[in-house]
Amino acid sequence: MTKKDALFSDSWMSSWMRTINASEAYREAGKKWKDAIVLRFDDGLNADGKKHTGFFLDLENGSCKQLRYAGEADLQSAPYILTAPYHIWEKLIRDNKDPLFMIMSGVIRVEKGSMLTLGLQRNAAKALLSAAAEAVAKPDTPYSAEASQAQDPSKTGLSHRKTEKSDGRSSYSTTSRGLDFESIPMQLFQKAKQLGVWNPADIDFSKDRAQWVTFTDTEKDLIFRLTAMFMGGEEAVTLDLLPLIQTLAREGRIEEELFLTSFLWEEAKHTEFFALFLRDVIGKPFDMEHYHGPAYRRLFHGELETALQRLHKDDSPKAQLFASLTYNMIVEGTLAETGYEAYHRMLTEQDMLPGLREGIGLLKRDESRHIAFGLYLIDRLLRENPELRDAFETEAGRLAGLVIDVVDEIFAPYQTMPFKLEKAWFVDFALNQFKKRMKKLFDA
Amino acid sequence: MTKKDALFSDSWMSSWMRTINASEAYREAGKKWKDAIVLRFDDGLNADGKKHTGFFLDLENGSCKQLRYAGEADLQSAPYILTAPYHIWEKLIRDNKDPLFMIMSGVIRVEKGSMLTLGLQRNAAKALLSAAAEAVAKPDTPYSAEASQAQDPSKTGLSHRKTEKSDGRSSYSTTSRGLDFESIPMQLFQKAKQLGVWNPADIDFSKDRAQWVTFTDTEKDLIFRLTAMFMGGEEAVTLDLLPLIQTLAREGRIEEELFLTSFLWEEAKHTEFFALFLRDVIGKPFDMEHYHGPAYRRLFHGELETALQRLHKDDSPKAQLFASLTYNMIVEGTLAETGYEAYHRMLTEQDMLPGLREGIGLLKRDESRHIAFGLYLIDRLLRENPELRDAFETEAGRLAGLVIDVVDEIFAPYQTMPFKLEKAWFVDFALNQFKKRMKKLFDA
Ligand SMILES: [Fe+2]
Ligand SMILES: [Fe+2]
Ligand SMILES: [Fe+2]
Ligand SMILES: [Fe+2]
C-alpha cells in the first residue's frame, strides 16, 4: 500500500468519493438515501498529521456530493452521527465487516438519527464501505477480492436461493385453515397437557434408597437389568420418534405434529426418570450396556431404529405404517406396556421402591396416549392404503416374535426369579394387549 | 388343483408330511421342537367325506414322525392344541399368513401349551406351513411363489439388513455414561418442567371476547396482523426445530435433545395458543396469509426454513451455527422477543385483552429459555470452531437487517398506529437485545 493510498488520508478520501460515484452498486443501493452523515472517531482521527473528528459524507440519491473531514458544525447539522474507535472503523473497511452487525452489536454507536432508517439503508452502507476499501487497496489484494465476492450472495458459503428447497412451504396451516380441535390428535394433545406434565425430578426416592441396601445381589441384578432395558428403551424412543414427527410435519399434518411434540417430551422425561432413579437410589450411573442382550439389541438397535430412521430416505405409506407398527404397536404397545405393567404389579405386591413405583405409574399413563396415537395413525394409514393390510399382518407377526425373544431373554439368567416375577403372566398380558389392539384395527 | 392335492385331504396330508421331511428349512428351524401338536378345527373338519377334529402332528427335532387326522385321545395327550375355524386354517396355508400374528391377534387360540414356547418356535411353524402349502399346489402357482419369496427376508419389501444403516447406534448414552445433570441443557430442562407446563386451553378469553366487539376496524386489523405474524411464526418454529433436534440427537448429545423436546412442545403450545385466541375471541379461523408481507415471508419461508431444513443435507458446524443464529438469535431473540414485549406492553398500558396478555406473558417466559439455549449452542459451536466467527458476524448482520424490514412492514400500512404502538421503541428494544447477546457471546 503506497503512502498516497493510506487509510483515512486526505488523498484516500478523494479516491473514496470518486469510487463511490463510479459505483453502480452504490447508485442502486443508495438511491433512497439523501442525508448527510458523520462517521465519528471516539478518540479523534489522526490523518495527514492533523487531528480530526471524523468524516462528513453528504449523500444524495445514489451519489456522494461531499466527502471531507468533519468539523464541529457538522456534528450539529448532520442528521446522522455514527461513532466508534479508530480500530473499529479500520476493521470495518479493511476486513469487510458487516456494518449493521457492528451497529446492532453496539460496537458502532448511533449517536444521532433513526436506527430503523439505517437498518433499511444497510445495502447503501455496504456499498459505501466497499468503495472505501477499494480506494485503499488494489483489487488484487486478498481482502478486497473477498469483499467483492461477499457482495454477491450467491457466492457466500451458505446461499439461500429458493432453488435449493425442493418442498418449501408457502403458507402455514394455522393461518390459512386453522387448527382442527376436534381431531383425535388434538384431543390427545389436550389430555397430554393435563396428564403428561408430571416432573420426574419431583419424585421422592428417599425410601427407595433406604430399601435398596437390603436387596440381595440377584435382586439388585434384576432391577439393574430392568432399569437398563427400560432406560435404553426410553432413550431409543426419544431418538427414534424424530423422523416420524418430521415426516408427518412435512405432510402438513399440524395437528399430528402438535400431539407428537407432547409425546416426544414425555419420552424425554421417561428417559430422565430412570437416570434419576440411578443417580438417587444407586448413587451413580455405570455402564449397563451388558444388560442389553442379543434379542433386545435386535429389537431396539435393529428393528426400531431401522424402521424409524428409514423415514429419512423413504416416507412412503408402507414405511410409515411399518414405523408406527414397530414403534407404537410392538415396542410400546406390546413390550413396554407389558414390562411396565409387570414391574408395577411386582413393586406393588412386594410393597417396595415407592418412588420407582410412583414414576412407573405415571409413565404408564403417558404410554397409553402414545399407543392410542399409534392406533389412530395405523388406522388412518390402513384406510388410506388398504392394499397394505397383508404386509402389515405379516410384519406384525414377525415383530411380535421378537418381543417374545426379549421376554425370554429377561428370564433366562435366573434360576428362580427374584420378587416372584412370572414369565407366563408376562406372555399372557402381552398377548392380550396385542389381541385387543388388532381387534380394534381390524374389526372397525 | 387336482382332487389328489385337495387341501386337508388324506393324500394332501401324506404329501405334507413328505414335504416337511424333505425341507431343509424345517430341519433347521424345527430342531428344538419335540412335542406333539393338534391343529384343531372349531367346527370340525370335513375331508374325504368324513368329519375330523383336526390334525395331529408328532414332531421331533426337525422331522415329522406322524401326521394324521386327530382323534379324541390326541386332545388329551398332545401338549399343544391350537384351534381356529376352517377358513382360518385355509387362509393360513393358502395365503401365507403369519402364524404368530394369527395367534397373537387371537384368531387362532392356544387351547393348550405355552404361548412363549410357540413364540420362540415361530420359524418352525412357518416352515411347517410352507411345507403344507407346497403339498397343495405346484410351485408355479402364484401364492406359492409368493410364499417361498416371503421365506427369504432379504426379498420382502422392507428388509432390515444392517447394511442399510449408515450410522446405526450400538449403545445408549443413558445406559453407558449416564446423563450429565449439571450441563446447561439439563438445567434448562429442569426449568422447563416447572415453568413450561402452562396449558393454553386453561386461559379464559371471555373478557377478550366482550372487548373485541368494541374495537374499530383499524384496531382489529392490527390485532389480526400481529396474530397472523405470531401464529405463523410459532408454527414455523414448531416445524423448523425438528432438523436441529435431529442433528444434535444424531451426534449423541442426549442432554441437548432432552431440553429440545421441552422447547418443541412449548412451540406447539404457542401455536395452539394463538389458534385458541382466534377460535374463542374472533369466533373462527380465517385465511390470514395476506398479513404475511414480503419481508416476513423472506424471513420465515426464506431464511428460517432454508437454514434449518438444510441440516438434513448438511449438518456441518457452520450449517448448525447459522441455523441456531437464524432461529434462536434472529427470529426468537430479536424479532419475536421484541414483538412479544411490545405487544405485552401495549396490552398492559391499554388494559385490554386480558387473556391474550396472560398468554403472551407466559409465552415470553418460555422464549427466554429458548434463547438461552441458543446462546449456549452458538457459544459451544464458536468455541469448537473459532474460524467461523467472522462468517457468523457477517451473517448476523445480514439477518438483523431482515428483522428491520419486517418491523418496517408492520407499521407501513397505518397512518397513525392503533393502540399507540411505537416504531422507535420497537427498534430500540430489538437493538438492545441483540447487543446484549452479542456481548455475552463475544466478551466471554
Ligand atoms: Fe416412554
Ligand atoms: Fe411412549
Ligand atoms: Fe414460541
Ligand atoms: Fe421459542
Side-chain angles (χ1 to χ4, degrees), chain A residues 364-379:
Chain A
K364 266 159 32 94
R365 208 170 52 180
D366 295 343
E367 292 303 337
S368 71
R369 286 189 303 280
H370 303 174
I371 298 163
F373 178 82
L375 273 172
Y376 151 83
L377 178 59
I378 290 172
D379 183 58

Side-chain angles (χ1 to χ4, degrees), chain A residues 234 237 267 270 363 367 370:
Chain A
E234 295 290 355
V237 293
E267 298 303 10
H270 300 170
L363 199 150
E367 292 303 337
H370 303 174

